[in-house]
Amino acid sequence: MNFRYILSESVSGFRRAKLASMIAVFTISLSLVLLGIFATLSLNASRVLSEIRSRVEVEFFLSQSLKETDAKALAASLRYEPQVQHVVYISSDSAAHIFKSEFGEDIVALLGTNPLPASIKVKLKSEYATLDSLEAFVSSVKAREGVLEARYNKEFLAGLDRNARLLFYITCGIGMLISVSAIALISNTIRLIVMNKQEIIRTMLLVGATHCFIRLPFLIEGALQGFLGGLIAIFLLAIVDLALFEIYPDLYEAIALPDYRVYGLLAIFGLLLGLLGSLFSVQKIFQNR
């Protein structure tokens, strides 16, 4: 296989269809810039959701008949659960002090006794702070001796789960829409170039050239268009990054911007978009022959 010929044919496609190739490269770069910005917003939204989940707490109220040593042992055992991030044991006396600091009244002086039970506050790891995981965890803990009741904000968690699912669907939908649009444009560009070379392709088939040999220049051309679009997208995003750092330094520090790994993924993703677009186009052309 003559690789020099294949590479020269791949590059010559840019010269034969300059306008179409430029439009394809520009559209890919614009699509990847939008995809990069949208991915950044999605990552920051996911980071906020994860931060909120990391603050989810459940409080287990204990029976007054449970000895303090057993209650502390129960709290210590919960620290080893995979879902648990932090555990705090609150004795009955500590609960009375908390009540006085929050409401300004001494409950023991008011009632003559302390009716507040001891409790265990558990903060969950963010990956386990979903409604299903929390309910399973609560059920397992409530089955232990001395645990009377669990209190947590079920409605808040249900809303948080809905928002997380909505964010996932929106991210996937917009990402697919941008990707399909870029693939379709490259496919149309390559199809125009293939149609302009119909006679050359027919002649090559007559002299025994394989389909793989004929297709390869078009596939490489599409991949080059995608890779070039990815490089332009990286350049544009770097300018946005620098402008944000200069104009809004506080906002720059607050949000998680794409790092060099994301830039590398954009270049690879652009190459794959170009390759897929040209593959679909060439496949369709040869199926119609």
Side-chain angles (χ1 to χ4, degrees):
M1 186 176 290
N2 193 333
F3 290 102
R4 181 177 296 179
Y5 168 78
I6 292 172
L7 289 176
S8 64
E9 280 297 303
S10 302
V11 176
S12 67
F14 283 92
R15 295 195 299 267
R16 295 192 186 100
K18 292 179 181 178
L19 181 61
S21 297
M22 287 175 61
I23 292 174
V25 170
F26 175 76
T27 303
I28 293 171
S29 62
L30 183 61
S31 300
L32 291 175
V33 166
L34 293 175
L35 198 62
I37 293 174
F38 183 72
T40 301
L41 294 175
S42 300
L43 287 172
N44 278 279
S46 297
R47 183 169 61 88
V48 171
L49 285 174
S50 180
E51 178 66 23
I52 294 173
R53 289 189 188 280
S54 68
R55 298 180 183 179
V56 170
E57 289 184 341
V58 56
E59 187 169 9
F60 297 98
F61 295 97
L62 308 178
S63 170
Q64 291 187 343
S65 62
L66 189 67
K67 295 180 181 179
E68 187 171 3
T69 54
D70 293 334
K72 289 181 177 180
L74 175 60
S77 68
L78 291 179
R79 292 188 177 94
Y80 296 100
E81 295 292 330
Q83 304 95 329
V84 174
Q85 176 181 331
H86 186 62
V87 175
V88 175
Y89 170 70
I90 301 173
S91 66
S92 180
D93 292 337
S94 297
H97 286 303
I98 293 171
F99 183 89
K100 184 176 182 180
S101 63
E102 290 184 355
F103 300 101
E105 297 286 349
D106 188 341
I107 194 169
V108 178
L110 286 174
L111 303 178
T113 184
N114 182 8
L116 299 176
S119 64
I120 301 173
K121 274 191 176 182
V122 177
K123 184 179 289 188
L124 298 179
K125 295 177 182 177
S126 59
E127 59 268 29
Y128 292 102
T130 62
L131 186 58
D132 293 339
S133 297
L134 182 57
E135 287 183 337
F137 174 70
V138 167
S139 297
S140 67
V141 176
K142 285 178 67 176
R144 302 193 184 191
E145 184 180 357
V147 180
L148 295 179
E149 183 186 354
R151 185 176 298 171
Y152 58 95
N153 196 332
K154 185 174 182 178
E155 291 75 15
F156 172 77
L157 276 175
L160 194 63
D161 287 349
R162 283 195 301 271
N163 290 332
R165 284 194 298 270
L166 181 62
L167 175 64
F168 175 77
Y169 293 143
I170 291 175
T171 301
C172 290
I174 294 181
M176 289 180 63
L177 180 63
I178 294 174
S179 301
V180 169
S181 300
I183 290 173
L185 186 73
I186 296 172
S187 179
N188 289 331
T189 303
I190 298 295
R191 186 180 292 116
L192 290 174
I193 296 172
V194 173
M195 291 178 66
N196 289 334
K197 297 180 66 175
Q198 288 284 344
E199 293 300 324
I200 298 175
I201 293 173
R202 188 178 295 112
T203 302
M204 294 176 71
L205 288 171
L206 289 174
V207 298
T210 63
H211 283 197
C212 180
F213 182 81
I214 298 171
R215 288 171 177 167
L216 203 52
F218 300 113
L219 297 181
I220 293 176
E221 182 178 346
L224 288 174
Q225 288 180 355
F227 186 69
L228 183 58
L231 293 180
I232 295 174
I234 292 171
F235 176 72
L236 293 175
L237 285 174
I239 292 177
V240 172
D241 191 349
L242 182 61
L244 190 63
F245 175 74
E246 294 292 337
I247 301 173
Y248 301 107
D250 294 337
L251 181 61
Y252 181 89
E253 293 294 333
I255 64 177
L257 292 168
D259 57 15
Y260 295 110
R261 290 173 296 179
V262 175
Y263 289 147
L265 288 174
L266 281 179
I268 295 172
F269 191 59
L271 188 147
L272 291 176
L273 285 178
L275 186 61
L276 286 174
S278 58
L279 180 63
F280 292 151
S281 175
V282 173
Q283 190 72 18
K284 188 172 182 179
I285 291 292
F286 278 92
Q287 283 177 352
N288 294 333
R289 294 193 63 83

